[in-house]
């Protein structure tokens, strides 16, 4: 089977927005299940008279029936000549030249080529947020970041200025280096931003004075969308080149055109430019029919557009009045961006993320299709906006109905009723949802939230701004972050289905965005922070090909930089896919970076010590994932207290795990003088080292033998040679028997899913699970204690979002986040906790620093719903 645009199809399928259309007529789409959908998108504004208008079909039939020429190049055809003539007249009579193309992007390409030939220059000036199509030059001129292609980005050749910025326009054009200034009078895909008439008028004179060609891209605005033939003719402006496409094909043929003046004409362009299918008779017949329809009855269609546009203005104003802070709009005529935002969602990860990433707009579009049989899509380059571009001949009742539905959406968002908005996504009937107390807070109002920096007293010392990169690591985490109305009114299975859906969408579109803004403080210091999240699951993240992992990390880091973060914390699997931060160290050499693994490991070990009251001699401790950075540090710490440690790893890796850990322990034994319990693994290693230190010429007697590879290797060799059996350290791969023998089990793998069962754990044993998602599945009848590792009590009662990240109690958060915060509060420089082998000394320093800033390891027992 051939895959046709997998990304778009998967996304539409997941959002239930991909019905099978079997017939299309006017503004109606008929599906194979006999649904009728009203089309308010009209192929991104390309259907002036809806689908398959009779007059256009008639023109095509007539053309073909009479065997009129379609493709006769190089010989000219009457239809194309007649069309060029009519286009010239309808666009104001100032253009003397015409070239046909097959699409809007091809018209843009041709216009840029024309300008380069004409002026002998190469640079092109365009506008931030603009959209000009997806071919190479058109895309390079496109100012919308959404479609930017790194390989085409060339800020010298294709410079962008802000819309309506007179000074920037003057400053750039005055350099006399631009072949063309290309501008949409209303930016379509970029967010329906309207260029001021005066600015456009100024562009005419400024371009002329600088020898630059002014190109009006009216591919979308042209031929009726705002109630005039073109915006240029409406304003009485003549650009050097005018581009048309979309509506010109009448919804039945793809076509486009450039109209230009004598000033713009170039003999070289004229000689060299052509396109096999452009100039075709059939397209010309359809376009002629479209223009005649637009002209019919004294341009009645245009008058109709102006009238229904006023109706749209009124509806928009009304929604803005009813739902201030939720609804806003931009655009003109039948080109609108309808923006929905939830201003009350600042404490809710999911809604906040949906606001910022644009996925709220997808949820709304799905709702409109499921509940109201209306087709719209988000404006992809303008997060949160819905694209309203119906056919020009839409009737008033269709507009009224649309805005009634949009009003319902506004009401649901304003009242926090995401249960209603999201129910159709999982096929849940809305009739079962209560409406009695319509208004529900988005977040749990009982929870305190992290204050923003404005609320902080300003006598505290300001730390660095930090960004913590995260993603939902499990379905329960995602459920915890749902808005209150969903958590209240969906049953467990429904919540699970919805969470799974978000993760499935995350696998298709994992775009990260800001989910929370806040500030943290202790008595002396404060720092601003943001959480940047993505809906992707750990498993899907691990499955990404290397290049996509890099792209995902780049997207995270771009947002962190955009937000001004100076400290980056790699939460959850952003640490795993960057090999503990290794892979991005160069990219963020100017920022402070941490995986937070030092504090995760040290706080986990401290919790074990606290539960055992520092009394582990004679007990057995298993560490699962001992070769990972967290596991290795946990072993390093517990080796000072424990005389029987089992390192549990994958089958076949036992020897490597053992060697690795032993090397680390030898280095610690030689270099640090921290207290080791008598009889502990560390105590034994130290004693052996001590014995050999007295040997003549021994490298073990160097001033700092821990820094001396030869000393560490020698000690390891001595241990392997003489004392291995007595060390109290073994490596095994048999999980079951290790679990069965152990009094304490510490687990810190990056499996991405639970894979260990408590049924193998002996009664009374303590399991400390530091993995996210958890490594352990809790079986019925578990008689031990299950504790969450890697948690930290912070110096204030903040919570991070209404689910406090992962459902921690007030004032507790993840150790990896705490490490990030501590580095931000202390204005630390450099990179910490990077890679698989974090120096034990560094981890201890982080623990001591965290404690100095008021953060301390904390024990939290896990209810048995962990699974
Ligand atoms: N220019 C503008 C203003 C557009 O809106 C578009 C398409 O949306 C294009 C150019 C590209 O047109 P096409 O998709 O026909 O290549």
């Amino acid at each position: 089977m051939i895959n046709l645009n997998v990304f778009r199809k998967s996304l539409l399928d997941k959002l239930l927005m991909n019905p099978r259309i079997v017939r299309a007529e006017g503004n109606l789409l008929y599906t194979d299940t006999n649904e009728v959908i009203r089309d308010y998108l009209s192929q991104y504004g390309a259907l002036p008279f809806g689908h398959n208008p009779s007059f256009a079909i008639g023109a095509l039939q007539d053309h073909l029936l009479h065997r009129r020429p379609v493709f006769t190049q190089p010989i000219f055809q009457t239809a194309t000549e007649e069309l060029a003539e009519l286009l010239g007249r309808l666009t104001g009579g100032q253009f003397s030249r015409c070239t046909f193309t097959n699409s809007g992007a091809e018209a843009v390409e041709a216009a840029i080529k024309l300008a380069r030939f004409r002026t002998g220059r190469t640079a092109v000036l365009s506008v931030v947020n603009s959209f000009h199509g997806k071919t190479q030059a058109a895309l390079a001129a496109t100012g919308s970041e959404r479609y930017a292609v790194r390989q085409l980005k060339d800020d010298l050749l294709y410079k962008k200025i802000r819309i309506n910025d007179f000074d920037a326009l003057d400053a750039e054009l005055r350099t006399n280096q631009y072949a063309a200034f290309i501008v949409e009078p209303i930016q379509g895909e970029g967010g329906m931003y309207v260029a001021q008439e005066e600015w456009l008028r100024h562009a005419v004179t400024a371009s002329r004075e600088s020898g630059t060609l002014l190109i009006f891209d009216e591919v979308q605005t042209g031929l009726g969308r705002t109630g005039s033939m073109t915006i240029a003719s409406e304003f009485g402006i003549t650009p050097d080149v005018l581009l048309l496409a979309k509506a010109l094909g009448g919804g039945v043929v793809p076509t486009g055109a450039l109209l230009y003046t004598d000033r713009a004409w170039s003999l070289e362009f004229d000689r060299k430019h052509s396109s096999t299918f452009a100039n075709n008779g059939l397209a010309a017949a359809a376009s002629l029919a479209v223009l005649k329809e637009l002209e019919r009855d004294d341009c009645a269609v245009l008058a109709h557009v102006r009238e229904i546009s006023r109706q749209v203005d009124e509806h928009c104003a009304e929604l803005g009045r009813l739902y201030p802070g939720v609804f806003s709009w931009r655009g003109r005529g039948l080109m609108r961006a309808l923006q929905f935002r939830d201003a009350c969602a600042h404490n809710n990860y999911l809604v906040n993320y949906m606001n910022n990433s644009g996925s709220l707009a997808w949820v709304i579009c799905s709702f409109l299709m499921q509940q109201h049989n209306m087709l719209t899509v988000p404006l992809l380059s303008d997060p949160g906006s819905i694209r309203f571009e119906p056919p020009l001949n839409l009737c008033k009742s269709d507009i009224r109905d649309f805005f009634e539905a949009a009003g319902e959406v506004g009401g649901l968002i304003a009242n926090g009723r995401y249960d209603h908005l999201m129910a159709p996504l999982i096929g849940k009937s809305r009739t079962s949802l209560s409406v009695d107390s319509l208004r529900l807070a988005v977040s749990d109002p009982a929870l305190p939230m992290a204050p923003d920096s404005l609320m902080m007293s300003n006598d505290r010392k300001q730390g660095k701004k930090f960004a913590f990169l995260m993603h939902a690591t499990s379905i329960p985490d995602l459920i915890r972050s749902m808005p209150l109305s969903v958590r209240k009114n969906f049953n467990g299975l429904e919540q699970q289905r919805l969470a799974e859906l978000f993760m499935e969408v995350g696998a298709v579109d994992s775009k990260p965005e800001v989910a929370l803004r806040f500030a943290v403080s202790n008595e002396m210091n404060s720092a601003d922070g943001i959480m940047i999240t993505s809906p992707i699951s750990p498993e899907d993240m691990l499955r990404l090909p290397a290049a996509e992992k890099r792209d995902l990390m780049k997207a995270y880091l771009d947002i962190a930089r955009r937000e001004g973060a100076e400290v980056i914390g790699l939460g959850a699997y952003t640490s795993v896919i960057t090999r503990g931060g290794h892979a991005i160290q160069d990219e963020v050499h100017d920022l402070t970076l941490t995986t937070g693994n030092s504090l995760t490991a040290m706080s986990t070990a401290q919790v074990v010590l606290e539960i055992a009251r520092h009394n582990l001699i004679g007990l057995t401790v298993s560490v699962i994932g001992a070769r990972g950075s967290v596991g290795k540090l946990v072993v390093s710490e517990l080796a000072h207290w424990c005389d029987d440690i089992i390192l549990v790893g994958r089958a076949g890796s036992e020897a490597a795990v053992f060697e690795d850990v032993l090397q680390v322990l030898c280095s610690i034994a030689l270099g640090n003088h921290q207290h080791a319990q008598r009889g502990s693994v560390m105590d034994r290693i130290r004693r052996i080292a001590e014995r050999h230190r007295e040997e003549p010429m021994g490298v073990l007697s160097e001033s700092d033998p821990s820094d001396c590879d030869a000393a560490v290797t020698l000690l390891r060799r001595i241990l392997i040679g003489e004392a291995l059996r007595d060390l109290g350290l073994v490596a095994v791969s048999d999980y079951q028997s290790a679990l069965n023998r152990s009094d304490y089990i510490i687990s810190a793998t990056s499996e991405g899913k639970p894979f260990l069962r408590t049924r193998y754990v002996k009664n009374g044993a303590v399991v400390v699970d530091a993995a996210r998602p958890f490594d352990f599945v809790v079986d019925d009848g578990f008689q031990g204690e299950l504790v969450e590792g890697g948690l930290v009590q912070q110096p204030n009662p903040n919570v991070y979002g209404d689910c406090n990240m992962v459902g921690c109690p007030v004032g507790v958060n993840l150790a990896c986040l705490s490490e990030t915060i501590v580095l931000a509060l202390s204005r630390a420089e450099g990179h910490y906790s990077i890679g698989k082998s974090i120096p034990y000394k560094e981890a201890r320093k982080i623990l001591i620093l965290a404690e100095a800033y008021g953060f301390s390891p904390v024990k939290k027992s896990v209810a048995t719903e962990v699974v």
Side-chain angles (χ1 to χ4, degrees):
M1 193 179 121
I2 290 197
N3 286 313
L4 195 62
N5 207 325
V6 182
F7 174 78
R8 188 184 342 141
K9 182 169 183 322
S10 326
L11 201 59
L12 292 175
D13 283 346
K14 303 264 173 258
L15 295 166
L16 308 175
M17 289 186 64
N18 199 14
R20 198 151 280 277
I21 311 289
V22 291
R23 203 160 79 85
E25 194 173 0
N27 69 329
L28 301 181
L29 301 169
Y30 299 85
T31 73
D32 61 349
T33 53
N34 297 324
E35 300 272 352
V36 183
I37 296 168
R38 280 189 273 184
D39 185 351
Y40 292 91
L41 176 67
S42 54
Q43 180 91 355
Y44 310 111
L47 310 179
F49 301 99
H51 298 269
N52 297 315
S54 307
F55 70 85
I57 291 176
L60 295 184
Q61 279 175 334
D62 190 55
H63 195 90
L64 293 173
L65 227 68
H66 290 89
R67 303 289 189 273
R68 295 209 181 93
V70 178
F71 299 117
T72 59
Q73 284 204 38
I75 300 167
F76 286 87
Q77 295 179 21
T78 333
T80 50
E81 283 170 334
E82 199 186 320
L83 175 62
E85 203 57 49
L86 186 53
L87 272 174
R89 178 165 65 73
L90 291 182
T91 52
Q94 311 293 319
F95 300 105
S96 52
R97 316 272 167 168
C98 178
T99 298
F100 288 111
T101 64
N102 296 290
S103 70
E106 193 187 317
V108 172
E109 295 284 332
I112 290 176
K113 187 168 142 191
L114 169 69
R116 286 175 171 163
F117 275 134
R118 179 71 188 90
T119 61
R121 302 172 182 171
T122 47
V124 173
L125 186 64
S126 59
V127 182
V128 175
N129 284 329
S130 59
F131 182 79
H132 297 293
K134 298 199 181 164
T135 51
Q136 306 266 334
L139 203 51
T142 286
S144 160
E145 279 302 313
R146 159 114 198 160
Y147 303 107
V149 174
R150 235 174 296 141
Q151 293 81 345
L152 290 179
K153 242 185 148 135
D154 186 335
D155 292 340
L156 287 178
L157 207 53
Y158 292 93
K159 182 128 193 194
K160 279 101 189 168
I161 54 168
R162 304 212 151 269
I163 194 168
N164 297 329
D165 186 336
F166 284 78
D167 293 341
L169 181 61
D170 280 342
E172 288 302 330
L173 289 182
R174 236 183 272 128
T175 62
N176 293 344
Q177 64 175 353
Y178 292 102
F181 172 45
I182 182 165
V183 57
E184 299 159 273
I186 300 173
Q187 293 183 331
E189 175 55 37
M192 305 295 178
Y193 292 96
V194 180
Q196 292 163 7
E197 182 179 340
E198 271 324 298
W199 189 65
L200 293 174
R201 219 176 266 295
H202 183 68
V204 177
T205 37
S207 300
R208 200 141 293 176
E209 282 163 13
S210 66
T212 302
L213 291 195
L214 176 62
I215 304 170
F216 266 26
D217 181 347
E218 296 223 37
V219 164
Q220 203 160 154
T221 50
L223 306 181
R225 196 109 300 268
T226 61
S228 57
M229 275 305 170
T230 61
I231 291 192
S233 62
E234 182 184 334
F235 291 168
I237 292 174
T238 307
D240 299 298
V241 187
L242 175 81
L243 307 183
L244 299 172
K246 293 205 186 235
L248 188 60
V252 287
V253 290
T255 188
L258 296 80
L259 293 154
Y260 44 110
T261 58
D262 282 342
R263 175 177 179 260
W265 185 76
S266 140
L267 177 61
E268 202 177 359
F269 175 82
D270 211 295
R271 271 203 192 122
K272 291 183 176 170
H273 184 81
S274 71
S275 172
T276 303
F277 293 126
N279 287 312
N280 84 67
L282 196 65
S287 300
L288 276 168
V290 169
L291 296 184
K292 286 175 185 159
E293 191 67 15
L294 283 170
E295 241 195 329
R296 196 158 62 82
D297 298 335
D298 211 9
C299 300
V301 174
L302 301 184
H304 175 73
V305 171
R306 290 193 293 273
E307 192 183 339
I308 57 176
S309 297
R310 281 192 289 277
Q311 187 193 350
V312 173
D313 286 342
E314 283 161 20
H315 283 301
C316 285
E318 172 75 0
L319 286 190
R321 258 195 310 279
L322 284 173
Y323 306 114
V326 170
F327 180 81
S328 59
W329 62 276
R330 284 190 305 272
R332 185 150 89 77
L334 298 182
M335 278 182 79
R336 307 280 174 140
L338 309 179
Q339 191 160 49
F340 292 89
R341 278 193 77 78
D342 190 336
C344 301
H346 33 255
N347 210 16
N348 184 275
Y349 282 99
L350 189 72
V351 178
N352 236 339
Y353 169 78
M354 292 201 315
N355 267 334
N356 294 334
S357 65
S359 38
L360 181 61
W362 276 112
V363 170
I364 293 169
C365 290
S366 176
F367 176 87
L368 289 174
M369 179 162 286
Q370 302 308 310
Q371 294 291 293
H372 296 279
N373 282 5
M374 293 173 175
L375 170 65
T376 52
V377 293
L379 262 165
L380 294 182
S381 51
D382 182 49
S385 291
I386 284 165
R387 188 169 187 152
F388 180 75
E389 284 190 274
L392 309 183
N393 55 352
L394 201 69
C395 64
K396 286 187 163 183
S397 61
D398 280 334
I399 292 192
R400 190 197 56 223
D401 293 350
F402 179 85
F403 279 95
E404 245 176 61
E408 185 188 0
V409 169
L412 291 176
I413 293 175
N415 289 307
R417 296 309 299 262
Y418 290 93
D419 51 342
H420 280 264
L421 206 55
M422 293 175 180
L425 281 175
I426 54 163
K428 177 178 168 61
S429 154
R430 291 171 63 207
T431 49
S432 64
L433 295 168
S434 69
V435 283
D436 42 338
S437 61
L438 188 66
R439 192 171 172 79
L440 268 178
V442 182
S443 302
D444 193 339
L447 282 173
M449 68 176 282
D452 60 42
S453 53
L454 294 177
M455 295 157 68
M456 295 273 175
S457 87
N458 48 16
D459 49 11
R460 286 192 175 95
K461 215 169 132 212
Q462 191 61 33
K464 288 185 170 179
K465 180 160 187 180
F466 65 92
F468 189 67
L469 315 188
M470 53 183 261
H471 57 107
T473 52
S474 67
I475 295 289
D477 278 354
L478 199 47
I479 290 174
R480 272 191 281 264
S481 70
M482 300 243 168
L484 196 60
S485 57
V486 170
R487 279 182 286 140
K488 264 182 106 136
N489 295 334
F490 282 19
N491 66 31
L493 273 179
E494 290 162 349
Q495 291 184 31
Q496 165 138 359
R497 177 67 204 105
L498 190 61
E500 283 166 359
L501 177 71
F502 281 124
M503 277 201 176
E504 286 164 20
V505 172
V508 182
D509 191 359
S510 54
K511 180 181 175 181
E513 250 309 337
V514 175
L516 206 68
R517 295 173 195 281
F518 54 92
V520 234
S521 66
N522 63 11
E523 288 193 344
M524 312 284 291
N525 312 274
S526 73
D528 290 335
I530 50 171
M531 304 282 188
I532 303 175
T533 196
S534 154
I536 194 167
S537 70
E539 279 185 281
D540 288 325
M541 204 184 247
L542 289 177
R543 265 200 291 266
L544 290 177
E548 287 180 39
K549 284 186 182 129
R550 274 197 301 277
D551 286 350
L552 177 60
M553 285 313 300
K554 183 174 180 312
Y556 271 111
L557 295 175
D558 283 350
I559 293 165
R561 284 195 189 271
R562 180 193 80 196
E563 297 287 326
E566 303 161 273
V567 178
I568 309 282
L570 298 174
Y573 279 57
T574 63
S575 161
V576 178
I577 65 167
T578 55
R579 289 180 287 117
H582 244 313
I584 55 165
Q585 278 197 289
D586 287 347
E587 222 168 310
V588 296
H589 63 91
D590 55 329
L591 304 177
T592 305
L593 176 70
T594 182
T595 59
N597 281 347
S598 288
L599 200 53
T600 300
M602 297 316 263
S603 59
T604 301
Q606 299 313 307
V607 164
V608 174
L609 291 172
E610 189 190 310
I611 299 172
R613 299 207 175 88
H614 288 74
N615 210 344
L616 285 166
I617 300 294
L619 298 177
T620 303
V621 174
S622 280
V623 178
I624 300 162
R627 212 180 173 193
S629 61
V630 172
K632 232 182 282 179
L633 288 173
V634 169
V635 175
S636 303
E637 181 74 353
L638 294 184
H640 291 79
W641 299 95
C642 185
D643 61 350
D644 184 15
I645 300 180
I646 306 176
L647 313 170
V648 192
R650 289 173 201 278
S653 71
E654 300 92 328
V657 174
F658 190 83
E659 289 265 303
D660 226 10
V661 171
L662 196 60
Q663 177 90 6
V664 169
L665 295 184
C666 287
S667 156
I668 296 169
L670 293 174
N672 119 333
H673 306 289
Q674 194 193 321
H675 167 76
Q677 194 80 344
R678 196 174 173 77
S680 67
V681 174
M682 187 56 68
D683 181 50
R684 291 179 198 182
I685 297 177
R686 274 199 197 139
R687 279 170 199 277
I688 293 166
E690 207 51 48
R691 267 206 327 264
H692 286 269
R693 212 187 281 274
E694 281 132 32
E695 285 174 11
M697 315 286 292
V699 279
L700 298 184
S701 46
E702 299 241 336
S703 60
D704 185 358
S706 70
D707 281 346
C708 172
D709 287 349
V712 173
T713 307
L714 176 63
L715 176 57
R716 207 190 64 199
R717 236 186 267 134
I718 293 168
L719 294 177
I720 291 173
E722 71 176 63
L724 217 48
R725 240 173 303 115
D726 302 331
L727 269 190
L729 187 72
V730 289
V732 304
S733 62
D734 179 356
Y735 289 83
Q736 283 189 29
S737 68
L739 297 184
N740 205 259
R741 274 178 51 203
S742 301
D743 303 288
Y744 286 86
I745 297 153
I746 298 100
S747 189
T749 78
S750 41
E751 276 290 314
K753 57 181 183 303
F755 71 107
L756 296 168
R757 311 209 63 114
T758 57
R759 80 163 75 110
Y760 302 116
V761 175
K762 77 174 176 191
N763 285 353
V766 176
V767 177
V768 182
D769 195 338
R772 297 288 178 160
F774 293 114
D775 284 334
F776 271 88
V777 178
V778 181
D779 295 302
D780 269 356
F782 173 51
Q783 299 282 318
E785 187 178 2
L786 182 57
V787 174
E788 232 174 283
L791 293 182
V792 164
Q793 178 77 49
Q794 61 195 35
N796 49 33
N798 286 357
V799 296
Y800 301 94
D802 55 1
C803 58
N804 199 14
M805 296 210 61
V806 284
C808 293
V810 172
V812 172
N813 75 45
L814 291 174
C816 49
L817 170 61
S818 287
E819 183 170 327
T820 311
I821 294 173
V822 168
L823 294 174
L825 290 173
S826 63
R827 300 198 63 82
E829 302 273 343
H831 292 179
Y832 298 84
S833 310
I834 301 298
K836 258 195 148 178
S837 297
I838 302 167
Y840 177 64
K841 274 188 212 162
E842 179 180 323
R844 282 215 63 86
K845 267 192 205 148
I846 298 263
L847 177 66
I848 291 163
L849 185 68
E851 286 176 341
Y853 276 79
F855 293 75
S856 52
V858 71
K859 171 190 157 192
K860 182 189 167 224
S861 295
V862 180
T864 40
E865 40 75 332
V866 174
V867 191

